[in-house]
């Protein structure tokens, strides 16, 4: 189980994360919801080692995950809001380069791992193309494949539908749900109410850097009125928020 306890972070004197605590079991999804700017993305970046926490801890099955921002943990794979693909590298190289430079894979081992993932995500025929030649949905699948390349146990996804046509929301939800079925700890940050409604997991509504309300998605669907803050958030359409 992934357990985050009392995580706080300041940026230029402003508290961005305010004693955030949550847990994610293997094979399940934690949905960080809330308007833009409430700290969702920062929480993911801290967990992935891209930002430094000022206080708090994160444990994976009792073992600490470093939150000092000095190095990314191999236990965490990150899918960025705008994919962050290497535009001047081929689809294949987007996966092999981090494996060779960051994890010490040989060229042959990296290519073997990459081809396995490209086949899994139906991208093998595009291996020698460049990201600019892919559709939005294909770019997202490549970003997920790259995040899985180092065989992490935690997958963080930051606003996974923000760069996509709204019609792809259903496919995105299916991809995320499949990651949970495969046993990953999945943490999704989104203000896309349609995506949130389509997923099954633990809902965490964030306001001003803190968890304002939380519940299981199934519990929420059975008794929406009990969780009025989440209900009010989902009643509105935030997909076009800045």
């Amino acid at each position: 189980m992934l357990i985050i306890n009392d995580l706080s972070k300041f940026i230029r004197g402003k508290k961005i994360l305010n004693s955030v605590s949550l847990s994610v079991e293997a094979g399940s999804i934690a949905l960080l919801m809330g308007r833009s700017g409430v700290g969702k993305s920062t929480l993911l970046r801290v967990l992935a080692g891209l930002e430094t926490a000022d206080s708090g801890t994160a444990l994976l099955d009792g073992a600490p995950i470093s939150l000092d921002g000095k190095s990314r943990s191999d236990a965490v794979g990150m899918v960025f809001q705008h994919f962050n693909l290497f535009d001047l590298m081929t689809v294949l190289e987007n996966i092999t380069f981090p494996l060779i430079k960051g994890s010490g894979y040989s060229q042959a081992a990296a290519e073997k791992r990459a081809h396995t993932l490209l086949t899994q995500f139906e991208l093998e025929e595009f291996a020698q193309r460049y990201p600019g030649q892919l559709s939005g949905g294909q770019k997202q699948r490549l970003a997920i494949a790259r995040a899985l390349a180092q065989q992490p146990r935690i997958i963080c996804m930051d606003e996974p539908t923000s760069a996509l046509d709204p019609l792809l929301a259903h496919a995105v939800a299916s991809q995320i749900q499949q990651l949970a079925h495969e046993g990953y700890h999945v943490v999704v940050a989104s203000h896309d109410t349609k995506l949130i409604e389509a997923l099954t997991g633990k809902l965490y509504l964030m306001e001003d850097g803190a968890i304002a309300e939380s519940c299981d998605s199934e519990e929420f669907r059975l008794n929406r009125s009990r969780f009025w803050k989440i209900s009010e958030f989902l009643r509105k359409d935030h997909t076009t928020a800045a």
Side-chain angles (χ1 to χ4, degrees):
M1 177 179 284
L2 170 65
I3 299 175
I4 297 172
N5 281 317
D6 293 327
L7 196 64
S8 293
K9 178 173 179 58
F10 292 83
I11 296 180
R12 293 186 292 275
K14 180 180 178 181
K15 183 169 277 192
I16 305 300
L17 296 175
N18 186 4
S19 299
V20 174
S21 296
L22 58 86
S23 62
V24 192
E25 294 184 1
S28 67
I29 302 170
L31 291 156
L32 307 176
M33 44 197 289
R35 300 184 69 89
S36 294
V38 297
K40 306 185 305 295
S41 297
T42 300
L43 177 56
L44 296 190
R45 291 179 63 83
V46 167
L47 185 59
L50 301 172
E51 301 269 2
T52 301
D54 290 299
S55 61
T57 60
L59 302 173
L60 181 59
D61 293 339
I65 297 175
S66 175
L67 301 176
D68 62 10
K70 295 179 181 178
S71 61
R72 290 188 60 180
S73 169
D74 287 342
V76 184
M78 184 81 176
V79 180
F80 296 92
Q81 179 175 356
H82 298 291
F83 311 128
N84 287 20
L85 299 172
F86 304 122
D87 291 335
L88 300 181
M89 295 185 183
T90 65
V91 167
L92 179 67
E93 290 167 340
N94 263 272
I95 299 178
T96 58
F97 179 76
L99 289 175
I100 295 168
K101 295 299 183 180
S103 298
Y105 277 60
S106 67
Q107 183 73 37
E111 290 189 1
K112 181 178 179 180
R113 176 68 178 150
H115 283 298
T116 297
L117 287 165
L118 291 177
T119 299
Q120 177 184 342
F121 286 92
E122 301 180 351
L123 292 169
E124 180 64 29
E125 65 181 291
F126 306 111
Q128 297 307 318
R129 294 190 185 181
Y130 291 87
Q133 297 173 297
L134 302 180
S135 69
Q138 290 165 343
K139 288 178 182 179
Q140 189 201 54
R141 296 205 305 273
L142 175 57
I144 295 173
R146 187 177 65 178
L148 297 179
Q150 295 177 333
Q151 299 178 301
R153 296 176 59 195
I154 303 165
I155 300 294
C156 294
M157 304 185 74
D158 188 14
E159 302 289 357
T161 57
S162 68
L164 301 177
D165 188 296
L167 294 177
L168 289 173
H170 180 73
V172 172
S174 296
Q175 291 169 359
I176 296 172
Q177 209 72 59
Q178 182 60 36
L179 291 173
H181 291 327
E182 292 173 8
Y184 292 99
H185 305 71
V186 184
V187 187
V188 179
S190 181
H191 59 239
D192 183 343
T193 56
K194 294 180 178 63
L195 175 65
I196 295 165
E197 292 268 25
L199 292 171
T200 299
K202 184 71 175 289
L203 305 178
Y204 292 94
L205 177 65
M206 294 187 68
E207 295 178 353
D208 299 322
I211 303 296
E213 192 170 70
S214 65
C215 65
D216 291 329
S217 59
E218 291 300 322
E219 182 182 16
F220 173 74
R221 286 162 188 155
L222 289 172
N223 191 0
R224 296 174 76 99
S225 62
R226 179 181 172 191
F227 306 100
W228 67 270
K229 288 187 176 183
I230 292 176
S231 182
E232 179 67 11
F233 175 81
L234 292 178
R235 188 180 65 80
K236 301 176 181 179
D237 184 358
H238 302 277
T239 56
T240 58

